[in-house]
Amino acid sequence: MITKNDLQLISKNLDNLLNDKKVFLVGFMAAGKTTVGKKIAKKLEVPFFDSDKEIENKFNMNINNIFDKYGESQFRKIEENLILEYVNSSKYNNFIMSLGGGAFINEAIRMAINKNGLSIWLNTNIEIINSRIKSTKNIRPLLKKFDTLEKLENLMTERSVYYSKADIKIDIIKTSKEKMTNFILKKISNYYSI
């Protein structure tokens, strides 16, 4: 249990530790990267970005339409360029960014984040993922191809090999978003204290 006092100390400690750090949340689709990322950014008073949203804003169309128009391989190139732009940007010294589920598979992205930031893998199980994506199939282009639980689980297993290269692994548990956020903040604080 994290007390309010603990949280204030952690938050103050993290302000110093993350002064020039860029934090990237990685993991499978629907793991909660954006939801938790926004909460962490708010607590640390730093900007928050979602790589998919940034791409949508840049192209003025949703991810599904970008996939349809350009194909997955072109989308991955667009994604790589955008994320590397943020990783290497001097505009922001620190921020929180949630990455699309396939972004951390890209070696150039992983290497850049490893050099200039902190990566956090939000790991969860297929049951939680499946229950969350049932209501969002229309906005997740890969669900057209990975349309069964077995296919989805295979993709998750393949990608976990890459996610496991993140600096910190967080196992998502069924709890409130607030408690999960505080738990992640404590994990980041512990990572830098070691």
Side-chain angles (χ1 to χ4, degrees):
M1 177 79 181
I2 302 171
T3 67
K4 202 169 192 166
N5 196 33
D6 287 340
L7 196 58
Q8 287 172 337
L9 286 170
I10 289 167
S11 192
K12 188 176 180 183
N13 190 26
L14 284 178
D15 284 344
N16 296 330
L17 292 170
L18 297 177
N19 190 28
D20 61 349
K21 288 275 189 283
K22 299 169 183 185
V23 178
F24 298 86
L25 301 175
V26 305
F28 205 63
M29 64 178 94
K33 301 179 297 284
T34 299
T35 304
V36 170
K38 286 178 181 175
K39 288 191 154 298
I40 293 170
K42 188 174 180 182
K43 282 187 185 273
L44 296 177
E45 297 177 0
V46 297
F48 172 78
F49 303 103
D50 174 309
S51 66
D52 284 348
K53 285 283 175 236
E54 295 302 305
I55 292 168
E56 287 179 340
N57 293 341
K58 194 170 187 174
F59 283 80
N60 202 24
M61 61 174 77
N62 68 35
I63 295 296
N64 259 340
N65 292 341
I66 295 170
F67 258 72
D68 290 344
K69 184 171 181 177
Y70 299 103
E72 185 178 357
S73 64
Q74 186 59 31
F75 170 79
R76 295 297 172 200
K77 198 69 200 158
I78 292 165
E79 180 180 57
E80 176 184 324
N81 291 337
L82 180 125
I83 293 168
L84 292 179
E85 190 180 306
Y86 276 85
V87 172
N88 299 315
S89 169
S90 56
K91 184 177 177 183
Y92 300 104
N93 289 334
N94 57 352
F95 59 76
I96 309 291
M97 178 180 268
S98 65
L99 300 186
F104 206 63
I105 309 309
N106 180 310
E107 188 177 9
I109 291 172
R110 277 197 321 276
M111 287 174 65
I113 290 172
N114 189 38
K115 185 178 175 188
N116 298 305
L118 174 72
S119 54
I120 301 171
W121 173 22
L122 299 187
N123 179 43
T124 189
N125 63 49
I126 194 68
E127 287 77 24
I128 291 174
I129 296 294
N130 193 43
S131 70
R132 289 178 180 173
I133 62 173
K134 281 182 181 174
S135 62
T136 61
K137 283 193 182 203
N138 60 329
I139 59 166
R140 298 184 189 273
L142 285 183
L143 292 180
K144 292 173 187 172
K145 192 164 130 185
F146 298 92
D147 56 355
T148 67
L149 190 61
E150 185 182 0
K151 287 179 184 176
L152 206 57
E153 192 166 19
N154 289 338
L155 179 64
M156 191 174 175
T157 302
E158 284 172 29
R159 288 183 170 184
S160 292
V161 172
Y162 300 97
Y163 299 151
S164 68
K165 297 174 188 286
D167 298 311
I168 299 172
K169 177 185 176 188
I170 307 277
D171 290 317
I172 299 296
I173 53 172
K174 287 194 174 188
T175 186
S176 72
K177 291 173 183 132
E178 187 68 22
K179 283 182 181 171
M180 199 70 235
T181 303
N182 293 342
F183 178 70
I184 293 168
L185 289 171
K186 187 169 186 188
K187 280 279 220 179
I188 298 170
S189 183
N190 290 346
Y191 176 80
Y192 281 112
S193 299
I194 294 169

